């Protein structure tokens, strides 16, 4: 008994630290697999000993809220769900009842309140008892109705999520690979809890309803139970009719639940919304509520976590992957295995702390699984030879490395400020399609050129002809490849100012922001590089962070020298700024969606809008002037958003007519004057 109590005393702080890091700091100090295993071990020990230690994560519903957002207590505690990984347990739990089996979405739980048909409040789950009020941010979610037909009081719960496709798009817009978000959940949490709702609006946050808490008629005469025939499914149908997106679900009985779970398991491989399992809820509302709750779990629902498919293999070696920030991550390379339908041979170990905890060594027998059936992870090391040595030299530049500890996480860094790895990502961005657009310069090729000492800054790219003899002898190169590269560089040297600015890699300055900066300063680069903070924040899309990043970049003598040297190699196209008469869309923002008929692609339409002084944005917000969509009557999320905000939806024909009318208006003004 004493040994069990001692083990519990080890587990409680260990799990608490891991949960705090995950929920409050958006970082991982142990894998989901390890956390679940240790949690289950603690739960079993509590059952065996009959003892529950103070602060046990099996009793704590959530974690304290840390932010500057207003706080508000929930009317009733928002509890966690009990969980299982067994389909047999699900079947037994359901018994003779009918249930709804739905996705367990991996985002941030939100409570919405509507009164008299209008959204009046949105609060995060927080610690289960006190949440953060994020009403302004919820109003700019991609798919939340701001007004509904129901005129009484409505309270519902759902999950705020960011789709994988949007997550990848947002990460691609961040030039620094090490500044990118690790997963959609972390991005969603940061987006929903912003103090500036404009940033939230840019993140394509979606809301999926999963529970109706209360729907009381305007006269307060009846509650929802009498309105929905005592059925959770009827609630879902009603919520859909009010304009809400509801979490996907299937109606199940003990006869078909196994098949339903299998169907979800197959679908998760391509499901665009992050999910970490399933939820089973009794359809019979009264029956479920009659079961009551434990201190932590309601008894009307249960979570199903995917039973991880685990395979044994042998660790071949640890590959040390250096990055632009100097961080060197350990990556496990192992004998290929089939896992969840694909062949895998690599898994990130994340940091030194995790590698040391696994006691890895070459040749060790390890077990591997896919977290949420997607991301390969090491589950355990069965051999634990602990022979892997942390390198004292950077694998890229040979410079000295050092281990730095932040909180309880130890990570490896290269200390050489001139490490080639720190330059590779910068050069990769500089030659990318939206920057200088140099064909034939992949990241691997750039790495070879940097390692050989051919390029030290951007201008050196235009002098690679000095190294012709060495380059044509390189593996994968020949005279034809070299000639093609020279032609590509010659073409790239004729470019425009927005491409150059984007290619410099100034933190947060994407191509769209670069274009706005150029238009604001009428393509006067000297004025741009000496711009004041006040001048910068006046520009639509440039806030405090981007303005400071811009000023900091050009405050550096080294950066200014690098830019001057680069500009000497380039021929910058002269931009024809629209005259006041031509800038008929000045101050107007357009969002383009759907297929086009009159224009070859969206870029062509976007260029026309910008040529007429307007701005093309990616998402509908309160600042949008018009949404262009040939299917003006569709129920797409952007159409819904536009209608809610009272934004006109134009077909291409409508857009061209507007352009003509505004142009004629300008002509008439000039004639009258």
């Amino acid at each position: 008994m004493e040994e069990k109590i001692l083990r519990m005393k080890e587990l409680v702080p260990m799990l608490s630290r891991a949960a705090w890091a995950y929920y409050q700091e958006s970082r991982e100090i142990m894998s989901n697999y390890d956390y679940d295993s240790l949690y289950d071990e603690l739960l079993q020990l509590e059952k065996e000993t009959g003892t529950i230690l103070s602060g046990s994560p099996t009793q704590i519903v959530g974690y304290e809220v840390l932010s500057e957002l207003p706080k508000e207590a929930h009317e009733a505690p928002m509890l966690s769900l009990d969980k299982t990984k067994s389909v047999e347990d699900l079947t037994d739990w359901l018994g003779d009842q009918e249930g709804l089996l739905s996705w367990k979405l991996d985002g941030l739980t939100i409570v919405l309140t509507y009164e008299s048909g209008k959204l009046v409040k949105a609060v995060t789950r927080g610690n289960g008892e006190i949440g953060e009020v994020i009403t302004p941010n919820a109003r700019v979610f991609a798919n939340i109705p701001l007004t509904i037909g129901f005129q009484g009081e409505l309270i519902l719960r759902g999950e705020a999520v960011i789709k994988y496709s949007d997550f990848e798009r947002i990460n691609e817009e961040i030039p620094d690979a090490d500044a990118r978000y690790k997963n959609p959940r972390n991005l969603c949490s940061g987006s929903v809890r912003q103090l500036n709702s404009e940033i939230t609006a840019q993140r394509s946050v979606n809301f999926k309803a999963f529970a109706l808490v209360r729907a009381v008629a305007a006269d307060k005469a009846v509650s929802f139970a009498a309105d929905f025939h005592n059925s959770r499914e009827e609630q879902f149908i009603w919520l859909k009719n009010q304009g809400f997106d509801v979490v996907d679900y299937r109606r199940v009985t003990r006869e078909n639940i196994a098949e339903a779970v299998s169907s979800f398991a197959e679908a998760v491989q391509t499901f665009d919304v992050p999910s970490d399992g399933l939820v089973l809820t009794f359809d019979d509302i009264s029956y479920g509520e009659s079961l009551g709750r434990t201190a932590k779990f309601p008894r009307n629902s249960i979570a199903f976590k995917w039973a991880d498919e685990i395979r044994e293999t042998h660790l071949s070696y640890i590959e040390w992957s250096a990055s632009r920030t100097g961080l060197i991550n350990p990556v496990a390379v192992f004998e290929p295995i089939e896992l969840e339908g694909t062949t895998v041979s690599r898994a990130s170990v994340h940091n030194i702390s995790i590698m040391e905890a696994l006691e890895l060594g070459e040749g060790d027998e390890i077990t591997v699984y896919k977290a949420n059936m997607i991301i390969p992870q090491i589950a355990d090391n069965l051999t634990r030879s602990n022979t892997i040595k942390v390198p004292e030299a950077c694998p890229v530049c040979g410079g000295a490395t050092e281990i730095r500890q932040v909180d309880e996480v130890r990570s490896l860094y290269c200390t050489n400020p001139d490490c080639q790895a720190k330059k590779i990502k910068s050069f990769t961005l500089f030659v990318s399609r939206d920057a200088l657009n140099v064909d034939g310069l992949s990241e691997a090729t750039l790495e070879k050129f940097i390692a050989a000492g051919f390029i030290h800054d951007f201008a050196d790219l235009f002098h690679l002809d000095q190294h012709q003899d060495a380059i044509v002898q390189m593996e994968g190169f020949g005279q034809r490849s070299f000639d093609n590269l020279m032609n590509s560089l010659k073409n790239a040297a004729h470019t425009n100012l927005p491409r150059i600015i984007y290619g410099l890699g100034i933190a947060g300055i994407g191509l769209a922001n670069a274009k706005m900066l150029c238009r604001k300063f009428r393509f006067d680069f000297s004025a741009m590089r000496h711009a004041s903070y006040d001048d910068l924040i006046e520009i639509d899309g440039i806030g405090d962070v981007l303005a400071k990043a811009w000023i900091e970049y050009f405050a550096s003598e080294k950066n200014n020298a690098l830019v001057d040297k680069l500009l000497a190699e380039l021929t910058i196209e002269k931009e024809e700024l629209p005259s006041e008469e031509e800038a008929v869309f000045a101050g107007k923002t357009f969002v383009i969606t759907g297929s086009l008929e009159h224009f070859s692609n969206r870029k062509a339409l976007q260029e026309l809008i910008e040529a007429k002084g307007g701005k093309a944005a990616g998402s509908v917000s309160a600042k949008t002037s018009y949404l262009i969509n040939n299917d003006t009557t569709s129920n797409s999320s952007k159409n819904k958003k536009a209608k809610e905000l009272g934004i006109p939806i134009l077909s291409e024909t409508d857009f061209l007519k507007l352009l003509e009318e505004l142009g004629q208006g300008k002509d008439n003004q000039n004639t009258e004057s």
Side-chain angles (χ1 to χ4, degrees):
M1 181 68 75
E2 184 178 350
E3 290 180 359
K4 292 181 179 180
I5 297 293
L6 288 174
R7 176 58 176 162
M8 289 165 61
K9 288 182 177 179
E10 292 176 356
L11 290 172
V12 167
M14 189 188 307
L15 289 167
S16 297
R17 285 194 299 269
W20 180 274
Y22 184 79
Y23 288 106
Q24 291 298 334
E25 301 171 354
S26 296
R27 62 187 180 90
E28 293 185 13
I29 61 175
M30 71 171 60
S31 69
N32 288 340
Y33 181 89
D34 286 341
Y35 184 89
D36 286 346
S37 297
L38 295 175
Y39 183 96
D40 290 342
E41 181 186 351
L42 176 60
L43 195 63
Q44 183 60 37
L45 288 170
E46 288 177 345
K47 289 179 181 177
E48 292 175 4
T49 62
T51 300
I52 298 177
L53 301 174
S54 62
S56 171
T58 66
Q59 304 302 305
I60 297 173
V61 174
Y63 297 89
E64 293 296 324
V65 174
L66 292 180
S67 84
E68 299 176 43
L69 292 167
K71 312 296 191 300
E72 182 170 304
H74 297 296
E75 287 187 12
M78 296 182 64
L79 305 176
S80 302
L81 295 180
D82 200 359
K83 67 180 187 298
T84 180
K85 294 186 177 182
S86 164
V87 177
E88 290 182 2
D89 286 349
L90 278 188
T91 306
D92 292 341
W93 182 90
L94 185 60
D96 295 330
Q97 292 288 319
E98 292 188 351
L100 302 183
L101 187 66
S102 61
W103 293 113
K104 184 176 182 294
L105 300 179
D106 194 14
L108 199 67
T109 299
I110 306 293
V111 184
L112 301 182
T113 300
Y114 289 76
E115 293 177 358
S116 301
K118 297 186 181 301
L119 175 65
V120 295
K121 188 167 58 181
V123 184
T124 67
R125 178 180 183 274
N127 66 0
E129 294 187 0
I130 298 175
E132 299 162 305
V133 181
I134 49 97
T135 311
N137 295 344
R139 292 184 190 280
V140 297
F141 284 6
N143 66 333
I144 280 185
L146 299 181
T147 60
I148 59 175
F150 181 65
Q151 294 300 301
E153 180 190 32
L154 170 64
I155 301 177
L156 70 153
R157 295 174 182 170
E159 199 82 353
V161 293
I162 288 180
K163 297 177 181 177
Y164 283 115
S165 52
D166 289 321
F167 169 73
E168 291 164 2
R169 171 184 58 79
I170 292 167
N171 260 351
E172 285 173 1
E173 294 171 358
I174 301 174
D176 184 353
D178 299 299
R180 292 172 182 168
Y181 295 92
K182 302 302 181 186
N183 55 58
R185 184 193 179 280
N186 288 358
L187 173 59
C188 183
S189 178
S191 301
V192 169
R193 300 167 70 202
Q194 284 289 329
L195 296 177
N196 181 357
S197 60
E198 185 176 355
I199 298 174
T200 306
Q202 299 168 1
R203 301 287 177 80
S204 299
V205 180
N206 279 259
F207 177 83
K208 301 285 187 181
F210 61 67
L212 194 160
V213 178
R214 183 163 69 241
V216 181
D219 61 6
K220 310 288 185 182
V222 292
S223 63
F224 71 78
D227 299 329
F228 303 113
H229 310 292
N230 197 37
S231 167
R232 294 284 182 193
E233 185 173 25
E234 289 290 329
Q235 290 181 349
F236 277 2
I237 294 169
W238 184 81
L239 286 171
K240 286 181 181 179
N241 291 334
Q242 295 297 320
F244 295 99
D245 287 344
V246 174
V247 63
D248 295 338
Y249 69 91
R250 282 188 58 176
R251 193 177 184 92
V252 294
T253 64
R254 65 184 309 147
E255 282 73 29
N256 68 352
I257 192 169
E259 181 274 327
V261 171
S262 178
S263 177
F264 275 107
E266 184 177 347
V268 76
Q269 302 292 337
T270 56
F271 192 41
D272 198 25
V273 180
S275 168
D276 57 358
L278 303 173
V279 174
L280 178 60
T281 302
F282 291 119
D283 182 57
D284 187 320
I285 297 171
S286 298
Y287 176 77
E289 296 298 331
S290 72
L291 300 176
R293 46 169 277 192
T294 67
K296 185 175 181 181
F297 306 124
R299 291 195 172 101
N300 64 351
S301 300
I302 188 172
F304 174 82
K305 301 276 283 187
W306 304 114
D308 302 306
E309 181 181 0
I310 298 178
R311 292 283 183 271
E312 292 184 7
T313 183
H314 289 89
L315 178 68
S316 300
Y317 58 92
I318 290 290
E319 177 182 280
W320 298 92
S321 177
S323 68
R324 183 180 172 188
T325 62
L327 179 67
I328 304 174
N329 284 322
V331 178
V333 181
F334 44 81
E335 295 174 5
I337 51 174
E338 289 292 319
L339 203 58
E340 307 287 2
T342 61
T343 301
V344 295
S345 59
R346 300 164 62 87
S348 174
V349 188
H350 302 294
N351 52 56
I352 300 295
S353 295
I354 292 177
M355 188 192 77
E356 291 175 340
L358 287 168
E359 300 178 307
L360 295 174
E362 293 184 3
D364 280 356
E365 188 173 0
I366 60 174
T367 57
V368 181
Y369 73 107
K370 280 188 178 180
N372 293 335
M373 304 177 73
I374 298 172
I375 304 171
Q377 301 282 317
I378 295 178
D380 197 6
N381 179 9
L382 306 179
T383 311
R384 295 187 174 268
S385 65
N386 200 24
T387 58
I388 296 293
K389 301 297 182 184
V390 177
E392 296 179 354
C394 171
V396 174
C397 71
T401 63
E402 69 176 15
I403 295 175
R404 301 173 191 168
Q405 182 162 330
V406 179
D407 294 325
E408 298 182 16
V409 177
R410 287 156 45 86
S411 300
L412 185 67
Y413 286 84
C414 172
T415 60
N416 176 14
D418 297 317
C419 176
Q420 293 97 320
K422 298 177 182 179
K423 298 179 179 181
I424 289 170
K425 298 298 182 184
S426 299
F427 280 101
T428 302
L429 172 68
F430 183 75
V431 302
S432 65
R433 182 183 60 187
D434 289 334
L436 271 287
N437 193 22
V438 183
D439 289 333
L441 275 181
S442 66
E443 186 168 318
T445 300
L446 284 167
E447 190 171 356
K448 291 178 183 178
F449 288 176
I450 291 171
F454 299 160
I455 50 179
H456 301 278
D457 54 45
F458 297 144
D460 291 338
L461 287 167
F462 301 96
H463 296 282
L464 284 172
D465 55 335
Q466 298 174 1
H467 308 284
Q468 176 176 349
D469 292 344
I471 291 174
V472 296
Q473 297 299 319
M474 285 183 167
E475 184 179 351
F477 259 89
Q479 190 61 48
R480 179 179 294 181
S481 296
F482 178 81
D483 292 341
N484 289 339
L485 176 58
M486 291 302 103
N487 286 331
S488 182
L489 285 164
K490 182 179 179 181
N491 293 332
H494 294 266
T495 187
N496 61 46
L497 193 54
R499 285 179 175 272
I500 296 169
I501 291 170
Y502 171 62
L504 294 177
I506 302 171
I509 305 296
L511 185 59
N513 287 334
K515 289 179 178 179
M516 286 188 286
L517 282 160
C518 289
R519 287 199 294 271
K520 168 68 175 179
F521 293 95
R522 301 188 68 80
F523 291 85
D524 182 344
F525 182 64
S526 178
M528 294 169 66
R529 77 198 301 185
H530 296 105
S532 69
Y533 174 85
D534 291 339
D535 288 336
L536 291 167
I537 61 172
E538 286 180 1
I539 304 171
D540 186 21
I542 305 294
D544 175 74
V545 174
L546 297 189
K548 288 178 179 176
W550 179 271
I551 290 171
E552 183 179 347
Y553 183 88
F554 286 107
S556 163
E557 290 184 12
K558 181 178 179 181
N559 288 340
N560 279 292
L562 178 149
V563 171
D564 288 337
K565 187 178 176 183
L566 169 64
L567 293 177
E569 303 294 336
L570 303 175
T571 301
I572 302 176
E573 299 169 2
K574 186 177 180 181
E575 296 285 342
E576 293 294 332
L577 285 165
S579 64
E580 187 176 342
E581 291 76 20
E582 293 173 322
V584 294
F585 290 149
K588 291 181 169 58
T589 300
F590 294 80
V591 173
I592 307 166
T593 190
S595 59
L596 299 175
E597 299 169 1
H598 296 284
F599 294 86
S600 57
N601 52 45
R602 291 186 187 180
K603 187 174 182 181
L605 176 52
Q606 178 180 330
E607 288 175 351
L608 173 59
I609 291 168
E610 292 172 349
K612 296 297 180 180
K615 174 189 172 185
S619 59
V620 177
S621 72
K623 292 187 177 182
T624 305
S625 307
Y626 299 97
L627 172 64
I628 300 175
N629 185 356
N630 281 322
D631 189 357
T632 58
T633 61
S634 79
N635 287 319
S636 68
S637 60
K638 287 182 179 176
N639 272 27
K640 287 182 181 178
K641 191 73 171 179
K643 290 174 183 175
E644 290 166 4
L645 295 173
I647 294 166
I649 304 173
L650 308 178
S651 66
E652 282 176 276
T653 302
D654 297 330
F655 167 79
L656 293 170
K657 188 181 297 183
L658 175 67
L659 176 60
E660 182 180 358
E661 290 172 353
L662 291 175
Q664 289 175 348
K666 288 280 188 182
D667 292 340
N668 292 337
Q669 288 177 14
N670 294 334
T671 302
E672 291 170 3
S673 61

